[in-house]
Amino acid sequence: DFQMTQSPATLSASVGDTVTITCRTSQSIRNWLAWYQQKPGKAPQLLIYDASSLQSGVPSRFTGSGSGTEFTLTISSLQPDDFTTYYCQSYNTSPTYTFGQGTKLEIK
Amino acid sequence: QVQLVESGGGVVQPGRSLRLSCAASGFTFSSYAMHWVRQAPGKGLEWVASMSYEGSDNDHAASVKGRFTISRDNSKNTLFLQLNSLGPEDTAVYFCAKGTTRFGNFAEDCFDSWGQGALVTVSS
């Protein structure tokens, strides 16, 4: 069965820091991976698609990388608005779509 | 401007049914795959179902297959999710989402616009 593991579950950082969130998959998904940001009580927002392509309107401090089975989301120069929850998502897999468990980014 | 508005949520007893709707505007609805994603209270995101832009193909998560059915009416710019045999584990906010790629494969998609969500509570 296809498995996706997102880590860490919680991440503490300060404004201005650079942080990295990782998603690992149990089998290669090439570059079929997206990253979303979700603020409390709101719908998710697409940040990155195809592992490294920045969605229109998303600040360039968000960077996606990786292929195959290991992917990272890097957020540089953290802003106060960035402290929320992030999810990775695979597509074109079996099952068709899988979300990671989520990473809550907290202010240290 | 893309707008997706879900409706039809509410409190329902276990074993009963519910139909969610998602009214779309601001884009050519019939050109994009559409999706349903749910989020149980305090939990992460779970993909539920997806449908191709023309409505001829679809897929459902294993957890809902045989109980939930996705459909769409392109003449009315509306996406639906029929929820049958509901259980407490189906309690969640249900989001509809628009696929990214015009005339794209519904299984090779990202979700670039989302509705505000409809809360479904299954309780006796």
Side-chain angles (χ1 to χ4, degrees):
Chain A
D1 285 1
F2 179 79
Q3 301 291 332
M4 174 176 282
T5 303
Q6 182 177 343
S7 62
T10 306
L11 185 55
S12 296
S14 302
V15 172
D17 284 354
T18 295
V19 298
T20 297
I21 301 168
T22 299
C23 270
R24 292 185 174 88
T25 58
S26 58
Q27 60 195 64
S28 175
I29 59 170
R30 294 170 57 178
N31 68 333
W32 295 319
L33 189 107
W35 291 96
Y36 295 84
Q37 177 191 71
Q38 187 181 29
K39 297 180 179 177
K42 301 294 186 182
Q45 176 190 354
L46 178 65
L47 299 175
I48 302 285
Y49 63 94
D50 293 347
S52 61
S53 297
L54 191 67
Q55 174 68 359
S56 176
V58 174
S60 58
R61 64 178 181 275
F62 292 90
T63 304
S65 65
S67 66
T69 63
E70 186 158 333
F71 304 86
T72 59
L73 172 69
T74 300
I75 313 171
S76 58
S77 301
L78 280 169
Q79 301 298 300
D81 193 48
D82 298 337
F83 290 89
T84 189
T85 303
Y86 295 86
Y87 295 91
C88 56
Q89 177 208 32
S90 66
Y91 43 100
N92 200 21
T93 54
S94 180
T96 304
Y97 296 98
T98 300
F99 286 95
Q101 296 82 1
T103 295
K104 186 175 182 180
L105 178 56
E106 299 180 332
I107 296 179
K108 189 182 293 183
Chain B
Q1 171 180 343
V2 173
Q3 192 168 15
L4 299 169
V5 179
E6 300 95 339
S7 61
V11 180
V12 60
Q13 293 179 328
R16 303 299 290 265
S17 299
L18 206 61
R19 188 172 87 151
L20 301 180
S21 300
C22 171
S25 60
F27 66 103
T28 305
F29 180 74
S30 59
S31 298
Y32 292 89
M34 294 295 295
H35 312 271
W36 288 100
V37 176
R38 69 182 180 182
Q39 187 168 36
K43 303 297 184 182
L45 302 170
E46 180 187 15
W47 168 69
V48 174
S50 298
M51 175 157 269
S52 60
Y53 59 89
E54 76 275 47
S56 62
D57 205 0
N58 63 76
D59 194 13
H60 298 73
S63 59
V64 306
K65 195 166 286 187
R67 300 189 300 123
F68 292 9
T69 303
I70 188 173
S71 62
R72 65 191 294 163
D73 185 340
N74 283 347
S75 69
K76 296 182 178 179
N77 293 346
T78 304
L79 179 73
F80 302 101
L81 185 68
Q82 179 68 41
L83 296 73
N84 296 334
S85 302
L86 284 160
E89 69 278 9
D90 298 315
T91 293
V93 173
Y94 286 74
F95 296 100
C96 69
K98 169 187 166 290
T100 304
T101 307
R102 189 164 177 255
F103 301 130
N105 184 329
F106 78 95
E108 297 179 8
D109 222 351
C110 298
F111 308 162
D112 66 3
S113 297
W114 298 61
Q116 83 288 351
L119 176 60
V120 173
T121 302
V122 183
S123 174
S124 54

